[in-house]
Amino acid sequence: MDEFWVFGYGSLMWNPGFAFEERVQARLTGYRRSLCVRSWVHRGTEARPGLVLGLDRGGSCRGIAFRIDPRAWPDTLAYLRERELVTNVYLERTVRLRFDDGRQVTGLTYVVDRAHPQYGGAVTVEEAAQIVASAVGQSGPNPAYVANTAAHLREMGIRDHWLEGVVAAIEAIGQPG
C-alpha cells in the first residue's frame, strides 16, 4: 500500500489510541456494524455474555478512516493487533473504503470471525436489548457501552438506526411496565 489507512466502526473512531495524519468519514460496503460478538470479559461473562460490536457480512457501514504516517505503520499495526486480536474473534482484513468526496482507498479493518465461539450471529433489536440489559463485565455494564457507542456515533454525524433501536429497547426494559 502506498498509504496506510485504518477503518474504525466502533470505539476506534473516537478513541483510536494511535497517532494519525488525517481522519475522514468513510463507507465500507459489504459489511455492517453489528452487536454480533459475545463479550465474555469486558461487557459480560461466559455465564451471562454481553454483546459488543463487530463488522459482520452484508450491507454497509459508515465509520472513520485514519491515515497513518508511513514511519508509524509498524507500531500502529502492532498496537491494533494487540487491541483487536485478544481472543481472535476478529480477522484482520484489507478493504476498499469510499470517502464522501468520491476518493477510494485501501484500508485495514477487523471483521468478525463467524466460526469463532464468540460470534453471536444476527439478532433482532429486542433480542439484543434482552442480552445487553443485564450483562456486566470487567469494563462495566453492557448497556452503558451500547448507549455510549450510539451517542458517540450521533455526535460524529453517523446515524445507526438499528443500534439506536437497541438503546431505546434497553431503556424500555428498565421502565416500570
Side-chain angles (χ1 to χ4, degrees):
M1 291 187 289
D2 293 335
E3 293 184 317
F4 181 43
W5 289 87
V6 174
F7 180 73
Y9 56 89
S11 63
L12 204 65
M13 293 191 303
W14 56 86
N15 183 24
F18 53 82
F20 53 89
E21 294 187 319
E22 187 177 358
R23 179 184 181 278
V24 181
Q25 281 202 20
R27 179 174 299 280
L28 171 61
T29 301
Y31 293 94
R32 68 186 185 286
R33 181 179 12 258
S34 176
L35 288 172
C36 62
V37 176
R38 292 185 196 108
S39 178
W40 295 342
V41 177
H42 291 287
R43 298 297 173 171
T45 64
E46 279 197 62
R48 185 177 284 270
L51 290 174
V52 295
L53 291 176
L55 278 178
D56 203 358
R57 291 192 304 240
S60 68
C61 178
R62 285 198 65 73
I64 302 294
F66 299 93
R67 186 170 53 83
I68 311 302
D69 182 305
R71 294 167 295 198
W73 290 3
D75 289 341
T76 302
L77 191 54
Y79 167 78
L80 287 168
R81 287 175 173 165
E82 183 177 323
R83 176 176 171 161
E84 301 297 328
L85 300 179
V86 175
T87 66
N88 294 313
V89 69
Y90 299 109
L91 302 169
E92 190 173 272
R93 291 290 182 256
T94 302
V95 295
R96 294 295 293 164
L97 303 170
R98 179 181 290 277
F99 301 152
D100 289 344
D101 66 9
R103 282 186 296 160
Q104 292 189 45
V105 299
T106 299
L108 181 77
T109 197
Y110 294 87
V111 303
V112 69
D113 178 358
R114 287 181 157 209
H116 195 280
Q118 284 181 267
Y119 176 63
V123 293
T124 66
V125 165
E126 293 75 21
E127 290 168 332
Q130 288 294 326
I131 293 167
V132 169
S134 59
V136 179
Q138 290 178 7
S139 296
N142 203 184
Y145 164 83
V146 174
N148 184 46
T149 299
H152 274 94
L153 290 171
R154 278 192 308 276
E155 288 170 9
M156 300 172 96
I158 298 172
R159 297 300 303 266
D160 187 317
H161 298 286
W162 187 86
L163 194 62
E164 290 174 13
V166 173
V167 172
I170 292 167
E171 290 170 354
I173 289 169
Q175 301 298 317

